[in-house]
Amino acid sequence: MPADVAEVFGTQWPRLVATLRADLGDLDLAEDAAQHAFAMATERWPVDGTPDSPGAWLVTVARRWAIDQARRDLRWARRVDDVRAALELPQRERGAITDDLLAMIFGCCHRALDEPARVALTLRYVVGLPTADIARSFLVAEATMAKRLVRAKKKIAAAKIPFEVPEREHLADSLHDVLKVVYVVFTQGHASPTGELIRGDLCDEARWLAGTLCDLMPDEPETWGLAALLAFTDARRPARLDADGEIVLLSDQDRSLWSADALDEGRRLFQRALRSRRVGPYALQAAIAAAHAEAPTFEDTDWATIRRLYAVLGTLEPSPVVTLNEAVAAFLAEGGDAGLEMLEPVASDLEQYHYFHLARADMLAQTGRADAAREAFDRALETCDSEAERRAIRRVAAERLAGPSA
């Protein structure tokens, strides 16, 4: 794909597919029409030059192709007049293009679909990621992912999942589903199941999605909170691996490598989230990330404040993982016994979670219980699937168990 077409693809693909889906009411036809338009752009633009309005050019070409397909395809033959009429409607009579894009996002993230299907549909039809790249994220073959996407689209049709922005009274719940999908995409970028320690493309796409939601829904503070959280977290990306590609723990990261641009962006987004005076779970997590970002060193981090923020988060969205994070903050603010006391109630819930055993081992080592710490480090290794993380656990275990407190 020529560079200018590729650049336009990044900005116009989601809007083009969303517009065509709204026109045609069919995701497959919309995607095929959009792909045809970009294929034509690849042929024509290097010869004719890039049009003054690339987006409008793509919409026109895609609409003409869709009408031709409707004439040829028996499935659409009876609807050709309806298709033509819909495609010839002026934009203002169909609603703003941003409404189409929002409707596309809410449709792909609908709770009637399971979470992997939501993530895959969003990456394919909103972000425009190739099926092969999505398959790589899920550790499956491209053909398998293609079948999954087909099944998800059939479920959308069978369940009559609406592609529309929910009414105000249902918006909060639906938006929560959308934001969760964006967050899952980001976490796959930072802890990819493929074994890649960082997939920058997924992190970038998640941040783009979060920013797009801020633009489309500026009055929803949680969109700003999520965007801030992702910016603060992604700022650490340059420092997360050493020269040999090994994991560098937060406590050992060179903070001068953290992206200043991402930190500034995080601060701007976080301030915008706070302006609404309605603080939700993502804004709280952004506040925690901001506390890490503003600390000059790991030792100078305001752990007491971070513990209080996790406590508030636990009242809004209680979960064993939130309790674990609060326990770690308590450990660093008040000592190992404070952290261990908090871990007891969630021990059975997190038995298969290696971060639980790693944190507990660290606390036990700090309080001088070397044998118990050794057992906990061993359990962390047993429950960890990533070889890179297992190497990091072994390094931490060697350091802690050799320390004076052990």
Side-chain angles (χ1 to χ4, degrees):
M1 185 180 288
D4 54 346
V5 180
E7 184 177 351
V8 172
F9 182 92
T11 58
Q12 295 297 328
W13 168 266
R15 291 172 174 79
L16 181 60
V17 174
T19 299
L20 294 169
R21 198 225 62 81
D23 287 339
L24 303 166
D26 185 283
L27 196 50
D28 281 333
L29 188 59
E31 183 187 20
D32 289 347
Q35 286 179 337
H36 171 79
F38 275 103
M40 291 298 294
T42 301
E43 291 181 12
R44 296 277 295 279
W45 292 5
V47 178
D48 301 339
T50 304
D52 294 336
S53 179
W57 188 96
L58 290 164
V59 169
T60 299
V61 171
R63 284 174 169 173
R64 287 175 182 161
W65 184 88
I67 291 174
D68 288 343
Q69 287 301 111
R71 288 198 190 102
R72 295 171 189 161
D73 191 335
L74 288 177
R75 184 166 59 110
W76 289 92
R78 296 175 184 171
R79 292 187 55 197
V80 65
D81 291 338
D82 293 339
V83 171
R84 182 194 296 279
L87 293 180
E88 290 176 350
L89 277 176
Q91 181 68 43
R92 63 180 177 279
E93 294 184 25
R94 295 188 304 99
I97 195 167
T98 53
D99 293 341
D100 294 340
L101 182 53
L102 259 185
M104 172 69 89
I105 295 172
F106 276 102
C108 289
C109 297
H110 197 279
R111 63 179 52 188
L113 301 162
D114 60 35
E115 186 172 286
R118 296 183 211 174
V119 172
L121 286 168
T122 302
L123 288 174
R124 181 71 195 100
Y125 297 108
V126 179
V127 173
L129 212 61
T131 303
D133 288 357
I134 304 170
R136 193 157 62 92
S137 300
F138 285 85
L139 288 178
V140 298
E142 181 177 354
T144 302
M145 179 51 66
K147 289 177 183 175
R148 287 187 186 178
L149 287 167
V150 169
R151 282 200 297 272
K153 285 186 288 187
K154 286 181 177 177
K155 180 162 185 178
I156 287 173
K160 294 184 170 51
I161 291 174
F163 280 79
E164 60 187 20
V165 181
E167 298 295 332
R168 172 57 62 179
E169 60 267 31
H170 303 299
L171 183 60
D173 288 343
S174 299
L175 180 60
H176 181 80
D177 295 336
V178 170
L179 297 181
K180 186 176 180 185
V181 167
V182 178
Y183 188 67
V184 169
V185 171
F186 183 80
T187 55
Q188 281 198 306
H190 270 269
S192 172
T194 64
E196 297 168 87
L197 295 176
I198 298 176
R199 273 196 61 182
D201 58 339
L202 292 180
C203 298
D204 293 342
E205 299 300 359
R207 288 185 62 189
W208 174 83
L209 271 169
T212 298
L213 287 168
C214 290
D215 292 339
L216 297 177
M217 309 181 76
D219 296 328
E220 295 298 328
E222 278 293 82
T223 62
W224 298 96
L226 176 63
L229 170 62
L230 301 193
F232 279 131
T233 306
D234 202 35
R236 305 175 203 159
R237 194 196 308 182
R240 291 189 72 227
L241 302 179
D242 66 16
D244 297 322
E246 298 290 341
I247 294 173
V248 181
L249 300 181
L250 177 62
S251 56
D252 299 327
Q253 288 179 8
D254 179 354
R255 297 183 178 221
S256 69
L257 297 178
W258 289 4
S259 166
D261 288 344
L263 291 174
D264 287 344
E265 181 71 356
R267 294 184 187 103
R268 183 186 70 80
L269 294 164
F270 184 50
Q271 289 302 315
R272 183 65 177 77
L274 292 180
R275 212 176 297 163
S276 71
R277 299 184 181 277
R278 288 185 289 145
V279 177
Y282 287 114
L284 274 171
Q285 291 177 75
I288 293 168
H292 284 293
E294 302 306 335
T297 66
F298 183 81
E299 291 74 18
D300 292 329
T301 304
D302 187 351
W303 295 109
T305 293
I306 289 176
R307 179 184 179 178
R308 286 194 292 274
L309 290 168
Y310 273 121
V312 177
L313 180 62
T315 64
L316 293 180
E317 283 198 340
S319 81
V321 173
V322 171
T323 301
L324 168 61
N325 290 333
E326 185 185 348
V328 171
F331 158 52
L332 292 165
E334 303 163 31
D337 286 332
L340 288 166
E341 184 179 348
M342 288 200 67
L343 288 185
E344 281 298 322
V346 295
S348 60
D349 294 319
L350 299 177
E351 168 54 29
Q352 298 299 318
Y353 192 53
H354 68 278
Y355 291 122
F356 166 80
H357 297 289
L358 181 59
R360 183 168 175 272
D362 211 4
M363 296 174 197
L364 288 166
Q366 195 247 14
T367 54
R369 284 167 266 187
D371 290 342
R374 189 171 290 105
E375 290 179 9
F377 277 124
D378 288 344
R379 187 65 187 139
L381 288 168
E382 290 170 5
T383 52
C384 179
D385 294 329
S386 163
E387 183 50 40
E389 289 194 83
R390 288 166 59 86
R391 288 196 296 271
I393 292 170
R394 291 190 190 97
R395 286 201 309 272
V396 173
E399 291 170 7
R400 301 297 191 269
L401 295 174
S405 60

